[in-house]
Amino acid sequence: MSENKVDTLITSSPFEAAKILLEGGIVVFPTETVYGIGASAFDFKACKKIYEVKNRPSDNPLILHVENLSSLKACGNVSEKAELVFQNFSPGPITGIFTKRNQDLFTAGLNTVALRIPSNSTAQFFLSFCDVPVAAPSANLSGKPSLTKIEYILEEFSGKVDCILKGEEPKIGIESTVIDFSSEPPVLLRPGFVDRNDLLTILPDLQGLETLAESSKIEAPRSPGLKYRHYAPICKVVLKNSLKNAPNDAAQIGFHTNSDSVFAMSVSSNEEYMRSLYAFFVECDRKGIKEAWCEIPKDGNGKEALINRISKAASK
């Protein structure tokens, strides 16, 4: 990672942030899922700088953020089936993988492109002023938990990026659902807030990642979150049915936390669990906690996505 400090503009103006991006700068901005760290998808030099700032493996692809469906269709070859999904779940936390339509886009050497339309109001204004696709992985150091609070962003990225855009904070807390539409049938590559069961009402032929090769054997991943360890704090992460036997010096997150725990985040729903998970991981590391116990989420929407993120964080 580059050690050169840069002057970081901290602004609440999407127009100012867009101006910096269009001049070749790197901008951190909020989405409804997590914060993103973005560059113009037409500026290969700026896109490669994102990899330097994040210390990200060069074959880990970026998701491109666009303002609307027509912009999305200008970047990728969108089937009627995929368009129906985006009409139902977008703007929002859904990403599609498509064969690339515009060859001038940065896609980490792939012939496919990952695209989404964020619903966050600040992101929407920012993208409208940019008027170009914005390549933006989650704003974090590679492998670490994605960041969902402005205080964490300022701490981590001041002096490393050209601009930090403040605005509407992320409300969902985990990354978008990713579906690969580049071949038939479509494949769910990453679960998220948009649940598999919701998708099956529109995509009855949707396949799961379990139908593909093991993620550890994927040579050229089409989506973030497939090949490398992700979402992981420094501390050891443990996924448990119950927090009852958690040691007092272990942090806890779940529905039935122990009052004598050194640090605990109690949640009442899977939605609240998603909003809280990455902040919980960040705070565990801030407090120097060695072990974080995570209770298995409730059945229903969000369970698959939460288990995916916690299991990734727990993996070696």
Side-chain angles (χ1 to χ4, degrees):
M1 185 171 62
S2 174
E3 296 298 325
N4 296 330
K5 292 279 186 182
V6 301
D7 291 328
T8 302
L9 174 68
I10 299 165
T11 181
S12 298
S13 167
F15 177 79
E16 287 295 325
K19 184 179 175 184
I20 288 173
L21 181 133
L22 293 172
E23 291 171 350
I26 306 296
V27 177
V28 173
F29 63 99
T31 78
E32 73 280 10
T33 56
V34 298
Y35 276 87
I37 174 169
S40 167
F42 293 124
D43 189 334
F44 282 34
K45 183 179 178 182
C47 288
K48 288 176 181 177
K49 181 72 183 297
I50 292 174
Y51 285 83
E52 291 178 26
V53 172
K54 282 175 58 77
N55 196 25
R56 184 182 180 91
S58 61
D59 64 343
N60 201 2
L62 308 180
I63 292 174
L64 274 54
H65 294 63
V66 295
E67 184 186 0
N68 51 42
L69 189 55
S70 62
S71 298
L72 186 140
K73 291 166 75 173
C75 296
N77 293 303
V78 180
S79 65
E80 289 183 11
K81 186 184 293 185
E83 185 169 353
L84 188 59
V85 169
F86 273 82
Q87 286 171 348
N88 276 269
F89 298 110
S90 194
I94 187 94
T95 294
I97 309 284
F98 307 98
T99 54
K100 189 161 63 169
R101 187 172 183 180
N102 187 330
Q103 298 305 312
D104 293 330
L105 295 169
F106 180 89
T107 55
L110 297 172
N111 66 350
T112 55
V113 58
L115 296 161
R116 89 174 190 94
I117 308 165
S119 61
N120 177 285
S121 60
T122 303
Q124 279 277 315
F125 281 121
F126 172 59
L127 290 168
S128 70
F129 287 127
C130 290
D131 199 30
V132 296
V134 174
S138 56
N140 59 336
L141 296 185
S142 187
K144 298 300 181 187
S146 299
L147 300 181
T148 57
K149 295 181 181 294
I150 189 62
E151 63 184 281
Y152 303 152
I153 291 295
L154 294 171
E155 184 179 280
E156 186 61 67
F157 287 102
S158 293
K160 296 179 183 177
V161 299
D162 300 289
C163 179
I164 294 172
L165 175 59
K166 299 169 71 174
E168 182 189 359
E169 294 255 62
K171 292 179 178 177
I172 292 175
I174 64 168
E175 303 82 0
S176 60
T177 304
V178 180
I179 305 171
D180 188 353
F181 290 105
S182 66
S183 59
E184 283 290 335
V187 179
L188 178 65
L189 295 185
R190 183 174 71 185
F193 186 83
V194 178
D195 194 76
R196 186 194 297 244
N197 290 331
D198 294 329
L199 291 165
L200 285 170
T201 62
I202 297 172
L203 294 175
D205 60 342
L206 180 68
Q207 303 295 301
L209 182 58
E210 59 272 10
T211 63
L212 300 181
E214 293 176 25
S215 60
S216 61
K217 296 178 182 176
I218 293 172
E219 293 301 322
R222 292 180 174 180
S223 166
L226 290 183
K227 186 175 180 181
Y228 299 98
R229 187 183 187 215
H230 274 64
Y231 325 119
I234 296 168
C235 66
K236 180 182 178 182
V237 175
V238 180
L239 180 61
K240 289 285 186 178
N241 281 315
S242 169
L243 302 176
K244 225 176 253 184
N245 298 319
N248 291 346
D249 60 351
Q252 302 173 26
I253 185 169
F255 309 97
H256 308 95
T257 58
N258 301 325
S259 57
D260 53 357
S261 169
V262 65
F263 173 59
M265 277 193 185
S266 184
V267 298
S268 60
S269 66
N270 287 349
E271 289 76 17
E272 187 179 3
Y273 205 152
M274 284 188 270
R275 285 196 301 272
S276 306
L277 181 64
Y278 290 150
F280 169 72
F281 285 159
V282 171
E283 289 299 330
C284 285
D285 284 348
R286 278 182 158 194
K287 296 175 186 298
I289 291 169
K290 302 298 183 188
E291 201 165 274
W293 282 43
C294 304
E295 187 176 359
I296 286 182
K298 295 178 178 180
D299 290 340
N301 282 11
K303 181 176 182 179
E304 183 181 18
L306 281 162
I307 289 178
N308 171 270
R309 302 310 193 275
I310 297 167
S311 298
K312 284 275 188 180
S315 68
K316 297 297 181 185

